[in-house]
Amino acid sequence: MRVMIDACVLYPTVMREVVLGVAAQGLFDARWSPRILEEWARATIKLGAEQEVLARGEIATLEARFPTASVRYDAGIEKHFWLPDPADIHVLAAAVAGSCDMILTLNAKDFPRNILAEEGLERRDPDAFLRDLHAQWPDQVGAVANAVLAEARRLSGDNWNMRGLMKKARLPRLGKALEAAQG
């Protein structure tokens, strides 16, 4: 399954690490476009110039880690699509050009299901998507989440629990499922 990942999913660190960790496990094929990655980098500017530099370093690492993920297309195809927010048309165009099955986004209102269905796409939010993957592959998703939890504890110095970290990362249903699976 090919999944176009919107910038709003790549920018929050914990969410990105869980989503891409699961992709690295082979549970889906991650896709993005150079413009999506640029949106991510520019979104970090509000946290300071050094954050943009860090984001660009992470982007370079991701492109090396997922060499087939970047979808390039002729920008002229964008004129064939319509979305409520014209600034999001590039995501739809990249998904179509990349032969994706879905768009993973937090931005439901700007990606209406009926419009996406016309292009053979579905829209999923990261929490529901990851929870469903966890239901199918609990060991793989659990291992990724545990690694992300360990790294969050190491970097922050805080003793995060799984449910709290996932809730903060806007993945509350996944956190609940992971906690239930751990007993």
Side-chain angles (χ1 to χ4, degrees):
M1 161 181 34
R2 287 188 182 148
V3 178
M4 182 60 57
I5 304 172
D6 197 2
C8 61
V9 175
L10 292 171
Y11 178 45
T13 302
V14 171
M15 184 182 293
R16 175 182 67 250
E17 292 300 317
V18 175
V19 167
L20 294 180
V22 170
Q25 292 285 321
L27 303 186
F28 72 94
D29 292 325
R31 296 288 185 268
W32 49 70
S33 70
R35 185 166 169 189
I36 288 170
L37 296 178
E38 184 63 21
E39 280 187 8
W40 165 21
R42 288 185 179 188
T44 63
I45 292 171
K46 64 185 172 198
L47 299 175
E50 69 281 352
Q51 292 302 311
E52 182 185 6
V53 172
L54 291 173
R56 292 191 185 284
E58 289 182 54
I59 288 167
T61 300
L62 280 186
E63 290 185 304
R65 185 175 171 203
F66 296 94
T68 61
S70 191
V71 174
R72 293 179 180 357
Y73 63 91
D74 179 353
I77 70 168
E78 290 180 14
K79 67 183 176 196
H80 299 288
F81 301 110
W82 180 88
L83 286 172
D85 183 350
D88 287 322
I89 290 174
H90 71 96
V91 178
L92 175 56
V96 170
S99 301
C100 292
D101 302 295
M102 79 171 58
I103 294 174
L104 193 63
T105 185
L106 294 165
N107 188 0
K109 70 178 176 60
D110 289 332
F111 292 96
R113 291 186 192 279
N114 62 323
I115 293 173
L116 297 183
E118 291 173 9
E119 301 301 333
L121 292 161
E122 68 174 300
R123 179 197 75 231
R124 297 291 306 274
D125 73 86
D127 193 26
F129 178 67
L130 291 167
R131 187 196 62 221
D132 289 350
L133 290 178
H134 179 258
Q136 292 180 294
W137 294 287
D139 293 340
Q140 292 92 328
V141 176
V144 168
N146 284 323
V148 171
L149 175 63
E151 186 67 358
R153 286 174 175 165
R154 185 185 74 77
L155 291 173
S156 71
D158 293 334
N159 191 22
W160 286 100
N161 64 47
M162 183 66 75
R163 195 164 181 180
L165 181 64
M166 293 300 130
K167 183 176 180 180
K168 182 171 176 46
R170 299 177 69 179
L171 302 170
R173 292 175 288 183
L174 174 63
K176 186 175 180 181
L178 289 163
E179 186 177 79
Q182 292 176 347

